[in-house]
Amino acid sequence: FCRVVGVTTPAVNFEVWLPMENWNGKYNGVGNGGMAGSISYGAMAGALRRGYATASTDTGHTVGPISFDASWASGRPDLIEDFGHRALHVTTLNGKAITESFYSKAPAFSYYTGCSKGGQQGLMEAQRYPNDFDGIVAGNPANDWTSFYAGAHLWYALATLRDRDSYIPREKLPLLANAVNSKCDAIDGLEDGVIDDPRLCDFDPSELICLNSDDSDHCLTPKQAQAVKSIWEGSRNSAGELIFPGLVPGGENGPGGGWGTWVTGQERFTSLHWLAAEGFFKYMVFEDPDWNFRTFDFDTDLAFALKKVGPALDATNPDLRNLQDSAGKLIVYHGWSDPDISPLGSINYYED
């Protein structure tokens, strides 16, 4: 294949890969994960094998793959704009133009595929740049970015890290997962290890509270049970308004590490929810390397964040008539067991 390496000022690195033979006549832009910061070579390779011309961008900064390092954003609103929406758009314009130049023929169809941060990118494209792609696949989208980072990443971290007694060791996750499945697996009439609709599961983690002063892997302390409840219930402000929905029962011990990667980590202050919240608020929102997560106010601080970075990052507009008018197609999917982004967020966006 032909590899084209380019940059759009000030710092949007991108690559376009073009099959030398058996091009299927189509273009496939691919998304990023985490805080982006690297070109998605794996996704590009998958598109290339299927015959697509393909492109990816680091969104304007460089960090490791699936990293939550946001130090690049401090004092750089231009890079935040690139990260939030501009980088993928200009990469798409460049990628399609390079494809047309290379083959002397424009792509018959242009598609976008991405998950998580890539899902946010897909919905941002659908809302801001509806003419970029004929079809968009947005998986597990972090589209309500600012509220998600406050009401999920930070909320879940606070539930387990506000004090030492609330932390849930990874070793207790099989206990919780097995209890949830035992209570809710058969709701759909089939015991198959899968909870068909977790919204129907009413398991109360208080049922697992330790007797006496026992604190083994076979029970939860009262504060650990409360942490699970807080994570499932989701976050609300002082007026009781939902900020972001909670995770749903059933994914605690799921594939990819489940809660063991995202909620508990190997030990305290190693979970991905904690790392994501710390990086985002410390550098992108407050620009204060000494920021203390325990001081966050879900009324005033969230309002500040929404005003400062929300316009660049949040893809929450449910009006997709411009995409419809351009004959564009959109598929959004979400896994019930996602331990990162609550699937209820995607349902809420769809219902909006």
Side-chain angles (χ1 to χ4, degrees):
F1 65 96
C2 175
R3 179 189 184 194
V4 181
V5 178
V7 61
T8 302
T9 56
V12 178
N13 294 296
F14 68 93
E15 294 195 20
V16 185
W17 292 2
L18 305 133
M20 298 295 291
E21 298 177 348
N22 301 317
W23 177 47
N24 64 13
K26 303 172 187 176
Y27 172 88
N28 182 189
V30 299
N32 303 88
M35 280 285 179
S38 60
I39 289 172
S40 301
Y41 290 117
M44 291 181 75
L48 189 75
R49 292 189 192 102
R50 293 191 295 272
Y52 289 91
T54 183
S56 175
T57 173
D58 64 2
T59 76
H61 63 277
T62 303
V63 296
I66 316 299
S67 169
F68 290 105
D69 175 11
S71 58
W72 52 268
S74 186
R76 294 298 303 270
D78 55 334
L79 298 186
I80 293 174
E81 292 286 338
D82 283 339
F83 169 75
H85 63 92
R86 196 180 78 96
L88 177 61
H89 173 58
V90 297
T91 294
T92 303
L93 297 181
N94 289 331
K96 290 164 66 175
I98 290 168
T99 300
E100 182 173 1
S101 176
F102 186 76
Y103 295 111
S104 299
K105 178 182 179 181
F109 294 99
S110 296
Y111 301 121
Y112 171 81
T113 52
C115 185
S116 192
K117 161 62 178 171
Q120 176 262 359
Q121 291 169 294
L123 288 182
M124 188 67 83
E125 281 286 319
Q127 295 166 29
R128 277 187 181 246
Y129 309 109
N131 296 311
D132 278 1
F133 295 102
D134 300 296
I136 295 171
V137 179
N140 294 35
N143 59 301
D144 196 0
W145 188 274
T146 308
S147 293
F148 163 58
Y149 266 70
H153 283 323
L154 181 57
W155 183 269
Y156 306 156
L158 281 167
T160 59
L161 299 173
R162 191 186 300 273
D163 60 64
R164 185 171 293 273
D165 293 337
S166 296
Y167 178 70
I168 305 169
R170 179 183 284 186
E171 292 74 21
K172 292 196 177 189
L173 294 179
L175 163 77
L176 178 61
N178 291 337
V180 168
N181 283 330
S182 178
K183 178 70 176 289
C184 299
D185 180 10
I187 289 176
D188 60 349
L190 181 66
E191 292 189 39
D192 56 357
V194 176
I195 299 175
D196 183 65
D197 187 345
R199 293 172 297 182
L200 303 178
C201 180
D202 62 352
F203 177 76
D204 185 347
S206 298
E207 297 177 22
L208 300 176
I209 288 180
C210 306
L211 300 175
N212 302 318
S213 59
D214 181 28
D215 183 13
S216 68
D217 294 343
H218 305 294
C219 61
L220 299 177
T221 67
K223 285 195 172 183
Q224 289 168 349
Q226 181 56 51
V228 175
K229 284 185 180 180
S230 295
I231 292 169
W232 282 345
E233 289 172 353
S235 52
R236 296 184 180 274
N237 60 21
S238 63
E241 299 164 330
L242 182 70
I243 298 171
F244 201 81
L247 299 178
V248 296
E252 297 78 20
N253 207 33
W259 281 29
T261 297
W262 285 93
V263 176
T264 69
Q266 296 268 10
E267 55 189 13
R268 296 176 79 238
F269 298 104
T270 64
S271 73
L272 294 187
H273 281 304
W274 154 251
L275 294 174
E278 182 195 38
F280 176 70
F281 287 105
K282 182 176 286 188
Y283 297 109
M284 196 174 288
V285 175
F286 297 114
E287 300 180 56
D288 178 7
D290 296 321
W291 173 74
N292 183 345
F293 77 108
R294 293 185 178 88
T295 66
F296 190 84
D297 186 299
F298 283 89
D299 294 324
T300 59
D301 287 341
L302 177 57
F304 173 79
L306 287 167
K307 182 177 181 180
K308 181 176 181 179
V309 300
L313 303 177
D314 298 347
T316 54
N317 183 0
D319 185 352
L320 299 177
R321 282 175 292 186
N322 288 334
L323 181 70
Q324 186 179 46
D325 291 345
S326 68
K329 306 296 183 183
L330 171 65
I331 295 174
V332 177
Y333 68 86
H334 208 126
W336 276 126
S337 294
D338 188 347
D340 174 15
I341 307 164
S342 173
L344 300 177
S346 290
I347 293 173
N348 291 346
Y349 175 73
Y350 175 78
E351 291 180 345
D352 285 346

